[in-house]
Amino acid sequence: MKKHMRIVVAVVTWISVIFALAGCSKFAFRDSTGKVFSRDYESLSLIADYLVSLEYDSVYIPSEYKDGEMLISATTCFIDNEDVINAIALLREAGCSVIGKNDGVVTFVYWSTSDVGKGFAYSSDGSDPQLQFRTYLEKLSKENWFYYEEDFNLWRLENQRNKGGRLGH
């Protein structure tokens, strides 16, 4: 009987841990954005200002790149500002996996799967950031800053409904 009880407790504990991890990373991120944004704001702002000042429309900095590297027009280039390099390292430690710039919008991805991404966006002109699969947008307390969510599958469904089309056609 004791062995049976241990197995039940172990299974319940294991399931609880899985749900807790899923809740913390996927579902609860929106609830903690204010705290994360406040904590990381100085680094976010420094990086956004730097990327917006570059003459390039598109910049990509994934977490697997070495410190100080960024991708511009399919070419690896180097960041020439040590403060920005340090700020990127801090954000990586805080969970930011990808930093990108498209036109005047800089995005910081904090949580993602193959179809879903969540994070912060800076719009240099203050307009709502145009993100490809955006399904949720919330203006934050600092000027030109937003919390966003992208979900390809939800976006696809919403666009099919709005067009009156059928899925898969």
Side-chain angles (χ1 to χ4, degrees):
M1 185 69 170
K2 285 184 179 183
K3 183 177 181 181
H4 182 269
M5 188 58 118
R6 284 185 195 150
I7 292 172
V8 169
V9 169
V11 169
V12 169
T13 302
W14 183 75
I15 291 171
S16 298
V17 167
I18 289 173
F19 279 111
L21 290 174
C24 289
S25 62
K26 183 176 180 182
F27 304 108
F29 185 77
R30 189 184 296 178
D31 294 335
S32 66
T33 56
K35 183 187 287 186
V36 173
F37 183 71
S38 295
R39 179 195 69 204
D40 295 344
Y41 176 73
E42 190 174 313
S43 295
L44 292 164
S45 184
L46 178 67
I47 296 164
D49 289 344
Y50 176 79
L51 293 179
V52 167
S53 74
L54 297 176
E55 61 189 53
Y56 305 101
D57 290 334
S58 180
V59 179
Y60 182 67
I61 309 171
S63 60
E64 59 270 8
Y65 271 40
K66 295 177 186 169
D67 287 346
E69 292 182 344
M70 61 184 163
L71 186 66
I72 299 174
S73 301
T75 303
T76 299
C77 300
F78 297 94
I79 298 168
D80 61 0
N81 182 315
E82 197 65 36
D83 291 336
V84 171
I85 293 169
N86 292 334
I88 291 169
L90 286 173
L91 290 186
R92 285 178 175 167
E93 290 174 15
C96 182
S97 59
V98 177
I99 301 169
K101 173 191 169 192
N102 283 312
D103 298 317
V105 176
V106 180
T107 55
F108 301 85
V109 179
Y110 273 75
W111 186 88
S112 66
T113 66
S114 60
D115 296 332
V116 178
K118 300 177 183 188
F120 303 109
Y122 174 79
S123 173
S124 61
D125 66 4
S127 64
D128 286 359
Q130 300 304 309
L131 304 169
Q132 187 172 10
F133 304 118
R134 186 184 83 196
T135 53
Y136 180 82
L137 186 69
E138 179 181 329
K139 187 148 182 49
L140 297 173
S141 60
K142 300 286 186 180
E143 189 173 346
N144 298 3
W145 284 96
F146 299 83
Y147 166 74
Y148 74 91
E149 294 178 4
E150 291 183 297
D151 183 326
F152 171 74
N153 291 315
L154 180 58
W155 174 86
R156 183 176 59 88
L157 288 171
E158 288 174 355
N159 280 305
Q160 287 296 325
R161 269 189 232 120
N162 291 339
K163 292 178 182 176
R166 296 183 337 180
L167 294 177
H169 297 282

